[in-house]
Amino acid sequence: KAGVTQTPRYLIKTRGQQVTLSCSPISGHRSVSWYQQTPGQGLQFLFEYFSETQRNKGNFPGRFSGRQFSNSRSEMNVSTLELGDSALYLCASSLASGVLYNEQFFGPGTRLTVL
Amino acid sequence: AQTVTQSQPEMSVQEAETVTLSCTYDTSESDYYLFWYKQPPSRQMILVIRQEAYKQQNATENRFSVNFQKAAKSFSLKISDSQLGDAAMYFCAYRSQAPTSGTYKYIFGTGTRLKVLA
């Protein structure tokens, strides 16, 4: 079974631009979560999608948005990029969402550099 | 709000020796999960071990074990017989649970970089 895939793996943008990152979960997984990883902050939760609905959201500005498609693939969009948005963006998928424990499986990440 | 603290930015261990990584957390919840994740230089994060808060017995996975002290809100990871392949960034994580809404989110520490010396 293929793992979580993220595209692109590397991205360089300039301030003010917008960017879209993509995540394909493991086949059969319906929950996708997004994280921002920076050296000083560790991993910070952005949001989680399940069945095309945002189920949970972290403390990020509205410039960060996402969506999920009917095939469970998810996209994350960042508008009006700032230098501080430079980070590794990780996607994680799990079978379902809710009170029961479902292991998260992480993708390799997309390294975003904002110049 | 829940927090997770890893006070050791970097640790070193000699191959075949034992090392313990520290993690403390703060929460007012009584039911939750705790995890240790490993992120090798290739960047793919993988789950090392998990602990359910309601279980008193410490979790063990081969050479990896935890010391879970619920009252002290401490959750350390012990790696025995360290191997070169254990070199990675290790993250401690807390999974909250909100029974009324049925949703949860993960809170991660800032990580501990483990170096294994040959």
Side-chain angles (χ1 to χ4, degrees), chain A residues 28-94:
Chain A
H29 285 194
R30 297 171 62 191
S31 172
V32 173
S33 296
W34 288 90
Y35 296 87
Q36 181 193 66
Q37 184 180 2
T38 55
Q41 299 292 321
L43 274 82
Q44 292 186 287
F45 173 77
L46 280 154
F47 28 64
E48 183 213 359
Y49 284 87
F50 177 75
S51 292
E52 303 178 64
T53 302
Q54 188 180 87
R55 292 291 301 275
N56 219 333
K57 191 176 188 303
N59 298 321
F60 277 81
R63 300 185 297 108
F64 292 82
S65 63
R67 60 177 175 169
Q68 186 180 35
F69 302 94
S70 58
N71 61 358
S72 294
R73 189 177 70 86
S74 177
E75 287 183 347
M76 190 193 92
N77 184 273
V78 187
S79 63
T80 319
L81 284 166
E82 301 176 0
L83 295 178
D85 297 333
S86 294
L88 181 69
Y89 289 89
L90 294 172
C91 161
S93 78
S94 59

Side-chain angles (χ1 to χ4, degrees), chain B residues 94-112:
Chain B
Y94 171 101
R95 177 189 182 270
S96 65
Q97 188 160 309
T100 54
S101 63
T103 63
Y104 64 90
K105 57 178 146 181
Y106 284 78
I107 299 167
F108 285 77
T110 51
T112 297

Side-chain angles (χ1 to χ4, degrees), chain A residues 37 56 98 100-101 106 111, chain B residues 35 39 43-44 95 102 104:
Chain A
Q37 184 180 2
N56 219 333
L100 297 178
Y101 170 72
F106 284 84
R111 168 72 64 189
Chain B
F35 307 87
Q39 188 180 42
R43 298 289 184 181
Q44 199 101 23
R95 177 189 182 270
Y104 64 90

